[in-house]
Each structure stands twice: as C-alpha cells, then as structure tokens.
Amino acid sequence: MSVLIAVITLSSIAGLFGLVLGYSAIRFRVQGDPVADKIDAILPQTQCGQCSFAGCRPYAEAIAKGEADINRCPPGGTATMLALADLLGVEPKPLAEEHTGEPIKTVVYIDEQTCIGCTLCIQACPVDAILGAAKQMHTVIESECTGCNLCIPPCPVDCIHIMPVKVQPETWRWPLPEHPPGTAPRVSAL
Amino acid sequence: MTEYALILISTIWVNNFLLVKFLGLCPFMGVSRKLETAIGMGMATTFVLTLSAISSSLVNDWILLPLGLEYLRTIMFILVIAVVVQFTEMVVHKTSPLLYNLLGIFLPLITTNCAVLGVALLNVQEKHTFLESAFYGFGAAIGFSLVLVLFAGMRERIRVADVPAIFQGNSIALITAGIMSLAFLGFAGLVK
Amino acid sequence: MTQLSSFHGGLHLAGHKTLSTSQPIATLPIPARLVIPLNQHIGAAGELLVAVGDHVLKGQALTKPVGYVSASVHATSSGTISDIGEYPLPHPSGLSARCVVIDTDGKDEWLPHQGEPSYRLLHAAEIRNRVRHAGVVGLGGATFPTSVKMNPAGQIIDTLIINGAECEPYITCDDMLMRERAKEVILGADILLHALGTAHCIIAIEDNKPDAIAALRAALKAAADDTQLGDIAVIAVPTLYPTGGEKQLIKVLTGKEVPSHGLPAEIGLVMQNVATAAAVYRAICCGEPLISRVVTVTGEAVAHPQNLEVRIGTPISQLIEHCGGYLPANPLPLSARADGSPSPQKGAGRPVSQGDTLIMANRLIMGGPMMGFALQSDELPVTKGCNCLLIQNVPAASAAMPCIRCGECVTVCPASLLPQQLYWHASSKNFDQVQDYHLFDCIECGCCSQVCPSHIPLVQYFRFAKTEIWHQETEKRKADHARVRHDFRSERLEREKREREEALRKKKELLAQKAAAETTSGEDDPKKAAIAAAMERVKAKKEQSESAADSAPGKNA
C-alpha cells in the first residue's frame, strides 16, 4: 500500500511540475537568436568566407548554435577570437599557425592596364566595392574594400593585386611600451 | 522578528555556505572570472535557492510528512530543485540571452549545486518553519552571491596583477578563496 | 574674477626658461628649400591648388580648406614648386605624408594682400572665413583650426580666455611673443571677442613671466587709449605645471570644471593661445596668412638657445645651425649612425625611400620635456604645431621597475585620475576598463611619469591605449559599414532573383491564357487562326530570346 502511495504521489507531483514547465516553455519562448547578433557585431565583416561559411552572419549563427569554433576568422585574428571567447565565456582557442599575430589589413587594387572588363570580380565582391561595367575598365573603391580577396580567383587575367593598407600619421598607433621585467600582462591567465 | 534577522546574519556572514560550510564551490570557481557573470549567477542562484527552499519546505510539510513518505525526501527535493532550475533557465534565456550563454553549463548545474540541496535538507534537519525556511534559503543565497561577487572582483584584479609564475591561474584563485574563508571564519566570533 | 581657484595635483618644476629669454626673437634667413606638409592641423587636409613647376609667391595658398574642420596651408616664401610628394613629418611615428616642396628664389616676394584694420566693421562670419583661409590653427601645439573654435554655434560664450600660461619648462616662445608683440596679442584678443560676440576676455599668464605681464598690461593701456577695446584683463596665475592645460587653466580662473568628454564652450568659455591671437590679428588686420611662427630652440646641448621666427617648412637642422649647432661635448648618439659623424642625418628632406633608414637622434625633442616627443632626425620641417625644439643631454632613461602602488601618480594627476589603475588595465589591454577609469580625460601632461619612483613610462601606456581604442572604433565603424553593404547586396541579389522569377511566371501565365483562348474560339475563322498562329510564333521567338537574356547572370545587374 505505502509503495502505491509513494508512486502515486511522486508521479502526480512530477506530472504537475511537467505542466508548469510546459506552460512556461510557451510563455518564455525565445524568438530569434540575439546571441548571433552579438557575435556578428564582433566579427570583422570582411565577408571573406575563410571560416568556410558564406559570410560573417552565417558564421555568427553557427557559433551561436555551437556548430562552429571561435577560432576560424583569420581577418579578425587573435583579438577577435579572444573577444568571442570573452563574450561566450569559453576557453580561447588558438588560430591556425599562419594566422596568429595581428592580421595585416589589406585592400586590393586593379591593374587598370591589364583589366579586360569581364565583370567577374564585380559579381564576386561581397560589398559592391568594385566599380565598372562590361568591357569597361574596373576599379576598386578603396574605402569600401574589406580585403576579403574574393575577387582575385575569378579574375581571368590576374590583374587584381593585394596591397597593405598604408598607415597614415593620423591612423598611426603608439606602440605598447616594453614591460618592466616580471610584469608582463596576462591577458588570458585565468 | 529577531529570529529571522538572526537567520539572515547567520547565513550571510557567520555560516556562509561558500566560505564556512564549503557548499557550492563548483560555480564559485567556475563563474567568478567576470564580475558581470558573477552578478548574473548570483541573481539566478538567489532566485533558485529561495524558491526551492520555499517549495521544498511546502512539499515536506504538506505532502511528505502527512503521507509518511520521509524516505522520499532526497528524490523529491531534487525533483523540486530541477523544476525550479529549469524554470529559471527559461526566464534567463528569455530576459538575458547573453547571461544565459555566459552562465552556460553552470545554469543547469545549479540543480546539482550542493548548496541548494543542502539548504533544503538543512531546513528539514533544523525543523524550520515555512517562514524560517524561506529566510534561511534567501540568506544563504545572499551570502552565496555576496561572496561570489567579491571573489569575482578580486579575480578581475588578480588577472592584471603581478603574480609569480608558479601561482598563476587557479592556484592564486584558490589561495584567495582560502584567505577569504579565513576572513569569514572571523565572523564566528560574533556569536558568543 | 580676482578670486583664483586651483586644480588637483600638479607639479612645481624647474623652469629653465631663462636659457632662451636672454635674446630677442631672431628671424631665420630664407632656407633654400621649404617642405610644407599639406595637413598641419587636426581635421581634413585641404584640396591642393598648385602643381609641380608652378611659381608661387609668399603667402599664396597651397591648399583650400575642405570641410568644416579644416584650414589652408600657404607658401611661406616665393619660389618654384619642385615636388609634391611624401616626406617625413615631425611626428612621433616618423611617418611621411604629402608635402609641397618649394625651391625658394630668395626674393621673398609677397602676394599682394590687404588687411582690414577696422575689424569691427567685419561680420563675425567674415572674420571666421578670413581666419580659416589664412590657415590659422591653435599654435599652443594642438593645431585645432581656430575658425571652428571661433564659432559659438548657438552656445553663449561669456568669457574668452587667452592662454599665455606656458607652463612647460624650457618653452619660452609665447613669453617672448608677449614681450615683443604685446599689441598684436591684445588686438588679436579683441578681434576674437568681436567674432565670438563675447564681452569679457582674460589673458592668463603664469607669474614667472613678469616681463610679459608688464608688456601686455602696458600694451593694453596704450591700445585702450587708441581704440575702443572689449573688457580685457591680464591676470597672473600661480606657476604650477600644467596650469597651461585648457581644463586646468579654466579651473584656476573660474573654478568651473569642463565636463568629461565636453568642450569649454559648454560652460560658456573659449580658450585660445596667445600666439593664435597674434596670428588672428595678422590675418585680419594685415591680411597675412599664417606662414611663420616663433619657435624656441633650447636645451643644455645647443650652443645659443634662443627664440626664432621661423617660416613653416624650414628644416629643423637650419634652426639648430642658426643657434650655433649641437654642443660638441654632447654629441647626438653615435651608436645608431653608420658613419659616426657628429651631426645628425644630412640630406635635406629626401623622400623616404625603401632601405633609407632614419637615424635616431633621441635627444632632439619637439615640444617640451614633459609632453614633447623625440624626433628621429633633424631633416624635418617646422610645422604650425612646433613650439619648441629641445636639445637635451639627458642620461638614458632608467629601466622601468614594477609598480609598487605608492600612489604618487594619483597625488599629482591634474585630471584627478588614477594613473596606476589606468596603467594596469592599459598594459593588459583591458580597453573597456581603461575607459571606465576615464582614460580620455587624461591630458598626457606627464606628471605621473615624472614622479613615478619605478620610472614607468605611464603616459606612453595611455597614448598606446588611446590610439588602440581609436583604432578599434575605426575598425568597428568599417565593419558596420561593410555589414550594411553586404546586407544590401544580398537583399538586392535576392530581389533580382525574385523579379526574374516573377516576370517568367507572368509570361507563362499569359501564354497559357492565350492558348486556352485559341482552343475555344479560334477555329471558326481560318484567317483569324492563321494570324493568331503567326503572332504566336513571333511571341515565342521573343520569349525565347528574352529568357535567354534573363538566364545570362549579371547582365541586368
């Protein structure tokens, strides 16, 4: 008899709790994924696809769902990876060997003598930074270029070249002074 | 009334769950890296602890005792706690998705937080009334949050401090926790 | 107004001012070659008006201002433009930027110009425009376009402060200017008062410059006898570094604090440097653009420290030569120089080519000992912001030791910040926290570095953090911009695809309708049927070519 009471009590209470939780699941349903927005805000928006996703937004969504690692963004470099680790509260993961260190900002330029006006690069550019029309010379709007280099493979005459963004006195940054011995900063110590 | 005040003082300072009773050390070390996370975790735990202390007291007084099912206490309390935690998780997910992400695994792990079950069981053991149980749970939660936030603040400072190489990382965090615990043991002197 | 207040912290520093005040301001002869940077102010560089090969006259504009925060640059002597290209600038980075090179002809021929001595007849906007085209910028070192600061932009300015504090050790250019050209300063201040529509003006001078105070008071009296002046007062303020800081001087004079991230205009104040006031006078009353400035060449390691009136664009080496050169007992560091010659790099402002390494001359400092920065060569042009060249023979800075949290830096900080906290967070790149501790209220006065018993170069950390945060903000803006463009493109592609599909569907529907109509009503008249069939064929052909065009991607894009 007492076993029966125990079973009934337990199951009825469990059932009651189930109902409460079921109701609150509907009441507190989460629309969209706000975390993906936050991740997207950190990514550099080069839209280069080096993370193997079609752009920064899809990568952000993949990270938010836990389907992608945080260390797959070479243009963002270690800084972006650390920012993501910080945001999501996960362990920092080093980037692939060749992408460690601060990424060098680049843009592309079109060798206008060689350009044949095929428009292939215009179609490849994710941010519409290339100006031109069929059989007309193309040119890159430097201020709009994100340095994704997606326009380089389609070019049939290899007239697109990468150049580093030039540091101007206005955009120059003071270097971090050399640290006193034994006081080197520990950004990811804990 | 003094009784309730005493319960609060006792749970927050003298018998702090983290530093004196050493319950709930897992989130204490796990989510104390950032102040914001610690505050969020503190709030979530406060909510869960208070609610579960109240509901487990209710369950104990109105269901288990009348039906003579005291032996089901542990499993019943775990059930109550699990439901409260699940509920909290949904609320946090809705209201602060980022906090939800930051707390990560520690949010569902409140279920297995020994402090939560500890409070529920201690309430029964000490034969607390319903109100006493509520105050006991709330006080324990405030104590927990207070220490968690203090510790997180310290860890943020330690992160940029000049720590000898051998003590870096979790070692210095545990040392800090130890010293904090010593400091809190000093409150035992409040009670003669 | 006589009740002076004081700011937090500050330092009493040895002045070393008498080193360079024994001689009057000398004028430097016209150099053979002038290298004039196109952007010498905060804000946008102007639009170039000249080309290589042009002959320019003294005072001729080389650029015209573009945008609101901008100012012109002028030829500082007559001659021929031999090059427009990248030349190294006197900037802590040692980077190059666009400069106009003028080979002077020695005639120093002025462009015809005319001033308006009765400036009260001019409208404020006209004065601002003239100042803007005369290229007048803040000569205290910040080089912010003066015309912008002369525009109250809706705010009511009740007091103009003319800053003659010159608190930094060694620098005496403002002191000498006030002594010798007091009238220009007074009239310049009056022009600024008129342009701002402000009633009161305070000329603040540190009390270690009694000659300048006396000269200004005398000039004020004389000028007031001559013309109707606004309410101008010369006030001596106690000598304490950095009283000359904008916010600090405002605190001393008015007791008010400029809000964090705010401008003095928000509390009804505008501050201009004395040299700027003199330059405004010249621009308005004489019609002369800003083509020269007073530069203090001083320090223990130069033979004859003095103040020089120098054309903008003159190589720094000529100034030092005029002052007797570097003292032989204190040669510039030889270690970095390949040939070991005792003078720094020669070769008159060549463009920096690859492999052409600049030689370090780390005892040549532009600015004062507290806020200046080391120049990497003396073959750099004098710019509008160059107030002092300090040639010092200081022992190498002692290595920095760990911070002991003594709090000395907190005691002296004139901005009431916590430098040691800023240091911890800046050195570990916690840029959010560093802003929580109000990094951007730091005026980089160098007091904290000066008193630090561990010799930590605190200001360098703050400069690092500031430029790093600006960089991050720029990157963020760029990323947001790229996101918008990418989203727009994705949406456009999607829309085009939708439209194509829509058009195709409509055509198909039309075709189906036609076909249905034919089967029901087309049979009774063979002629009608024949016409319909012909039309059908034409349509089909058209259809085909159109859908072919549609399927070729990008053609309609």
Side-chain angles (χ1 to χ4, degrees):
Chain A
M1 191 57 200
S2 67
V3 176
L4 202 64
I5 294 174
V7 169
I8 291 170
T9 321
L10 252 180
S11 20
S12 52
I13 287 182
L16 188 73
F17 284 157
L19 283 177
V20 170
L21 280 184
Y23 171 72
S24 46
I26 298 162
R27 176 76 182 71
F28 296 107
R29 184 188 300 277
V30 178
Q31 305 282 354
D33 198 348
V35 179
D37 287 340
K38 300 248 169 162
I39 298 172
D40 195 41
I42 290 177
L43 295 176
Q45 304 299 324
T46 46
Q47 317 292 352
C48 64
Q50 286 183 66
C51 51
S52 81
F53 292 90
C56 294
R57 180 81 211 178
Y59 178 43
E61 278 159 13
I63 296 177
K65 279 188 208 134
E67 289 164 3
D69 266 339
I70 56 168
N71 61 348
R72 285 162 71 171
C73 182
T78 310
T80 297
M81 185 275 295
L82 287 174
L84 287 175
D86 198 42
L87 175 80
L88 302 169
V90 295
E91 284 299 311
K93 275 194 186 131
L95 272 77
E97 194 70 36
E98 64 267 29
H99 300 308
T100 49
E102 190 167 349
I104 301 162
K105 297 274 168 217
T106 59
V107 289
V108 291
Y109 69 97
I110 292 178
D111 178 2
E112 292 166 354
Q113 304 301 316
T114 326
C115 176
I116 54 168
C118 66
T119 75
L120 286 176
C121 55
I122 296 181
Q123 291 162 46
C125 181
V127 289
D128 289 333
I130 304 179
L131 196 68
K135 305 226 173 105
Q136 306 288 319
M137 182 185 76
H138 302 344
T139 194
V140 178
I141 310 167
E142 200 187 311
S143 61
E144 309 292 334
C145 179
T146 63
C148 69
N149 301 339
L150 286 177
C151 49
I152 295 176
C155 181
V157 289
D158 289 338
C159 70
I160 305 180
H161 306 286
I162 302 172
M163 65 175 176
V165 176
K166 200 168 161 274
V167 181
Q168 303 290 337
E170 298 84 45
T171 56
W172 176 78
R173 286 177 280 162
W174 283 88
L176 182 67
E178 296 213 348
H179 281 279
T183 62
R186 295 178 187 95
V187 182
S188 55
L190 289 183
Chain B
M1 204 58 222
T2 21
E3 202 180 328
Y4 300 125
L6 275 178
I7 288 180
L8 278 183
I9 289 169
S10 155
T11 44
I12 296 174
W13 303 104
V14 186
N15 290 315
N16 188 286
F17 267 68
L18 274 175
L19 293 178
V20 180
K21 288 200 185 338
F22 303 116
L23 291 171
L25 284 177
C26 155
F28 179 60
M29 294 304 291
V31 287
S32 55
R33 274 173 219 206
K34 278 206 308 195
L35 202 56
E36 294 161 30
T37 330
I39 293 171
M41 185 66 177
M43 280 176 357
T45 310
T46 306
F47 187 70
V48 170
L49 252 174
T50 317
L51 214 60
S52 64
I54 291 171
S55 39
S56 52
S57 162
L58 285 178
V59 165
N60 188 58
D61 291 354
W62 295 96
I63 298 170
L64 298 184
L65 285 181
L67 294 174
L69 293 172
E70 288 92 339
Y71 57 92
L72 280 182
R73 208 172 263 151
T74 312
I75 192 166
M76 200 58 114
F77 285 178
I78 286 288
L79 184 68
V80 169
I81 291 166
V83 167
V84 175
V85 168
Q86 275 302 314
F87 181 73
T88 316
E89 198 179 335
M90 283 174 200
V91 174
V92 172
H93 196 174
K94 176 78 180 176
T95 49
S96 170
L98 204 63
L99 182 64
Y100 177 76
N101 236 296
L102 280 171
L103 295 177
I105 187 67
F106 289 102
L107 196 49
L109 273 186
I110 299 179
T111 317
T112 54
N113 184 340
C114 30
V116 184
L117 186 61
V119 166
L121 291 176
L122 282 170
N123 271 334
V124 178
Q125 200 185 336
E126 313 254 323
K127 299 199 168 55
H128 281 150
T129 62
F130 169 72
L131 258 185
E132 281 170 352
S133 303
F135 272 91
Y136 194 74
F138 182 69
I142 293 295
F144 179 89
S145 310
L146 175 82
V147 172
L148 190 66
V149 168
L150 287 179
F151 189 56
M154 261 187 259
R155 271 184 100 169
E156 277 197 354
R157 286 288 279 264
I158 291 169
R159 194 158 61 166
V160 291
D162 179 19
V163 180
I166 200 159
F167 288 135
Q168 277 170 31
N170 283 327
S171 333
I172 192 73
L174 281 167
I175 292 169
T176 317
I179 297 171
M180 278 180 84
S181 175
L182 275 179
F184 267 76
L185 284 175
F187 288 118
L190 280 177
V191 189
K192 273 265 156 78
Chain C
M1 211 26 95
T2 45
Q3 188 64 48
L4 293 181
S5 176
S6 65
F7 57 90
H8 177 265
L11 280 178
H12 290 283
L13 298 169
H16 301 286
K17 301 246 183 192
T18 46
L19 218 57
S20 52
T21 51
S22 56
Q23 291 181 49
I25 301 173
T27 308
L28 202 71
I30 309 163
R33 201 158 176 232
L34 291 161
V35 179
I36 302 168
L38 290 184
N39 193 357
Q40 298 185 34
H41 50 264
I42 289 173
E47 187 186 317
L48 196 63
L49 296 173
V50 290
V52 177
D54 285 3
H55 185 264
V56 289
L57 295 176
K58 182 177 179 179
Q60 185 176 336
L62 301 175
T63 63
K64 74 168 186 224
V66 175
Y68 183 55
V69 183
S70 189
S72 294
V73 173
H74 299 81
T76 54
S77 187
S78 59
T80 314
I81 295 179
S82 62
D83 190 18
I84 297 171
E86 304 249 311
Y87 287 83
L89 294 185
H91 187 267
S93 64
L95 285 170
S96 304
R98 287 240 288 176
C99 296
V100 170
V101 182
I102 300 173
D103 284 338
T104 53
D105 56 13
K107 291 185 212 147
D108 210 22
E109 198 181 333
W110 265 103
L111 186 79
H113 58 279
Q114 205 188 350
E116 178 57 77
S118 39
Y119 48 85
R120 288 194 177 268
L121 302 176
L122 295 175
H123 190 261
E126 172 62 20
I127 293 181
R128 280 202 298 275
N129 198 35
R130 288 192 184 193
V131 165
R132 174 174 152 96
H133 282 93
V136 181
V137 299
L139 294 177
T143 66
F144 189 80
T146 304
S147 62
V148 179
K149 263 167 103 175
M150 283 166 70
N151 188 354
Q155 271 149 328
I156 292 164
I157 308 296
D158 59 45
T159 308
L160 165 74
I161 299 172
I162 301 291
N163 184 347
E166 199 167 56
C167 56
E168 205 167 345
Y170 288 98
I171 308 178
T172 56
C173 58
D174 289 349
D175 185 6
M176 294 308 286
L177 183 100
M178 286 187 283
R179 289 193 208 180
E180 296 189 11
R181 302 180 192 164
K183 189 186 154 212
E184 292 182 17
V185 174
I186 299 285
L187 291 178
D190 197 46
I191 297 172
L192 288 168
L193 275 182
H194 171 56
L196 282 165
T198 302
H200 311 286
C201 171
I202 306 170
I203 303 180
I205 306 168
E206 273 194 351
D207 56 12
N208 62 355
K209 293 181 255 303
D211 292 352
I213 296 170
L216 275 183
R217 285 196 171 139
L220 182 61
K221 205 151 177 281
D225 291 344
D226 276 358
T227 50
Q228 186 74 28
L229 285 184
D231 168 31
I232 301 177
V234 178
I235 289 186
V237 293
T239 303
L240 178 68
Y241 181 80
T243 300
E246 190 173 61
K247 294 178 179 179
Q248 284 67 33
L249 187 54
I250 287 173
K251 182 86 205 305
V252 169
L253 291 174
T254 67
K256 291 187 210 165
E257 282 192 24
V258 180
S260 179
H261 296 283
L263 291 173
E266 289 171 28
I267 53 170
L269 299 167
V270 163
M271 187 177 290
Q272 301 279 8
N273 180 265
V274 280
T276 315
V280 167
Y281 164 78
R282 292 206 155 224
I284 300 299
C285 293
C286 313
E288 290 175 20
L290 179 65
I291 55 168
S292 67
R293 67 158 297 144
V294 181
V295 179
T296 309
V297 182
T298 186
E300 286 81 15
V302 68
H304 308 297
Q306 59 182 299
N307 281 283
L308 301 171
E309 170 88 31
V310 185
R311 286 175 176 77
I312 307 298
T314 309
I316 286 169
S317 59
Q318 288 208 4
L319 274 70
I320 290 162
E321 214 166 275
H322 188 86
C323 295
Y326 303 99
L327 282 185
N330 307 306
L332 282 148
L334 300 173
S335 53
R337 213 169 302 135
D339 58 356
S341 61
S343 66
Q345 189 206 16
K346 289 285 163 195
R350 286 169 289 160
V352 179
S353 58
Q354 276 204 331
D356 187 355
T357 46
L358 286 172
I359 287 156
M360 294 294 285
N362 60 8
R363 279 159 205 180
L364 175 60
I365 295 164
M366 184 167 134
M370 302 296 283
M371 297 183 70
F373 54 88
L375 292 180
Q376 307 182 344
S377 149
D378 60 4
E379 286 307 323
L380 297 166
V382 168
T383 57
K384 290 176 184 177
C386 172
N387 51 357
C388 176
L389 291 168
L390 177 62
I391 300 105
Q392 261 186 324
N393 186 23
V394 285
S398 12
M401 302 288 286
C403 171
I404 54 167
R405 297 216 169 226
C406 62
E408 274 299 301
C409 47
V410 182
T411 325
V412 298
C413 181
S416 312
L417 301 177
L418 300 173
Q420 92 277 39
Q421 285 306 104
L422 287 168
Y423 160 68
W424 284 116
H425 291 304
S427 63
S428 43
K429 303 186 186 170
N430 288 344
F431 296 128
D432 289 339
Q433 272 113 327
V434 106
Q435 288 182 74
D436 290 346
Y437 283 97
H438 307 289
L439 172 71
F440 285 99
D441 285 341
C442 167
I443 58 166
E444 300 176 25
C445 64
C447 287
C448 49
S449 309
Q450 179 80 13
V451 297
C452 181
S454 289
H455 306 293
I456 298 171
L458 289 155
V459 175
Q460 284 186 43
Y461 283 93
F462 306 155
R463 285 173 171 163
F464 157 78
K466 283 183 183 179
T467 46
E468 204 64 33
I469 290 166
W470 286 327
H471 174 76
Q472 283 182 2
E473 280 170 3
T474 321
E475 290 299 316
K476 184 95 190 61
R477 267 200 305 279
K478 274 191 187 161
D480 290 342
H481 183 65
R483 182 184 300 115
V484 169
R485 293 196 50 107
H486 179 67
D487 290 351
F488 181 77
R489 180 189 143 91
S490 315
E491 199 211 294
R492 193 196 72 214
L493 292 180
E494 193 61 34
R495 194 187 61 225
E496 279 170 3
K497 199 173 153 213
R498 233 182 12 250
E499 279 170 2
R500 268 204 304 276
E501 276 167 5
E502 183 73 5
L504 210 68
R505 195 179 55 77
K506 268 192 184 147
K507 261 174 212 155
K508 271 188 185 149
E509 261 173 25
L510 220 67
L511 216 65
Q513 268 174 18
K514 267 260 162 66
E518 263 162 33
T519 45
T520 52
S521 66
E523 256 130 18
D524 42 344
D525 194 345
K527 215 174 189 178
K528 230 181 199 172
I531 293 168
M535 273 173 77
E536 192 64 56
R537 276 199 300 278
V538 172
K539 190 144 246 171
K541 218 173 224 170
K542 221 170 162 187
E543 195 81 61
Q544 221 168 17
S545 65
E546 251 169 47
S547 64
D550 278 346
S551 58
K555 263 199 181 156
N556 305 359

